[in-house]
Amino acid sequence: STLPEKKMMFKGLPANKEDMNKLMLTPLIHCPLPGGSALITFEEAEVAQRIIEKGEHTVELSCGQLEELDQCRVRVQAVPVDILLPSALEIRLTQSSRSILVSDLPNLDIPKEALLDKLELFFSKTKNGGSEVESREFLEDSEQVVLTFTRDGVAEPLIERGHIQVPIGKGKYQIKISPCMSGDISNLQLQPSRCPRTILLLGIPDVLSVESMRDALEIHFQKASRGGGEVDALAYVPAGRTGVAVFVEDT
């Protein structure tokens, strides 16, 4: 109940019947970052653990424009990065009685709205097995279209046909018709997970440009003499700003 609502589209085909009720989740976690912070991902998890165990770090800055010696050093705090990952997900699926999913559409050099007009015109005719179309829309991040009719009993015969030839422009193209499924999450369980190779630095003052601060942090934390190691990625958010980090599965 605390999660924001978001439309999701599930892609792919089951390899066999045993996999029909299984989902493979690929994490794509968006995490806000406060100002005056940096995320560092090391190549080795052992390096990240050493940096976290030490806690406070004094980073020397190469800044010739600063006169006082103590202005050329900043103290930052290294903390672990904990995120929530789904451990169990149950979705209640329902098949729409008035909608169909249209796929295998031709890749034509025409606007999407023009293609939607062609599909609506074709499927609104009773001789093609259709009826009056109530709505049409492209699915987000997809080349598939959902057509919804104004009455029941139209979608099922079209779905049973599976494929149908549709005239578009000067050609005829065979497109696929599938059931339109919608789902509600009935159960979602989350568990905390610690990023093994990534640390979060806090308390970074805004005394250098973004590029110079990134360079200074990377130079400091890749030195073995300071407990560091090879840096795989580094993101810095200056004080007064905010950022968003995207975490993906470590492969």
Side-chain angles (χ1 to χ4, degrees), residues 9-14 23 140-144:
M9 184 179 65
F10 293 89
K11 301 179 181 179
L13 296 171
L23 290 173
E140 186 178 357
D141 298 327
S142 168
E143 294 302 318
Q144 299 176 330

Side-chain angles (χ1 to χ4, degrees), residues 38-52 57 78-79 81 195-201 217-224 226-234 250:
L39 278 177
I40 303 180
T41 299
F42 295 97
E43 292 186 358
E44 301 293 337
E46 294 80 3
V47 177
Q49 185 60 35
R50 287 199 304 266
I51 298 297
I52 292 170
H57 298 261
V79 297
V81 177
C195 298
R197 300 190 297 118
T198 302
I199 67 166
L200 176 63
L201 298 178
L217 293 172
E218 184 167 354
I219 290 171
H220 177 90
F221 286 101
Q222 72 180 0
K223 289 185 177 180
R226 291 165 177 159
E230 288 297 324
V231 173
D232 188 24
L234 190 151
D250 195 0

Side-chain angles (χ1 to χ4, degrees), residues 70-130:
D70 59 351
Q71 286 183 298
C72 292
R73 293 186 178 90
V74 296
R75 290 186 176 88
V76 297
Q77 190 72 25
V79 297
V81 177
D82 294 318
I83 57 177
L84 289 175
L85 292 178
S87 59
L89 174 65
E90 294 179 7
I91 300 178
R92 182 171 49 247
L93 294 175
T94 55
Q95 180 175 334
S96 173
S97 61
R98 293 187 179 184
S99 300
I100 59 173
L101 182 67
V102 180
S103 57
D104 290 351
L105 294 170
N107 187 17
L108 302 176
D109 188 21
I110 61 174
K112 284 189 174 182
E113 281 299 317
L115 181 56
L116 289 175
D117 289 341
K118 298 288 186 183
L119 293 174
E120 180 177 354
L121 181 63
F122 178 86
F123 283 102
S124 63
K125 296 178 179 179
T126 54
K127 67 177 183 179
N128 297 327

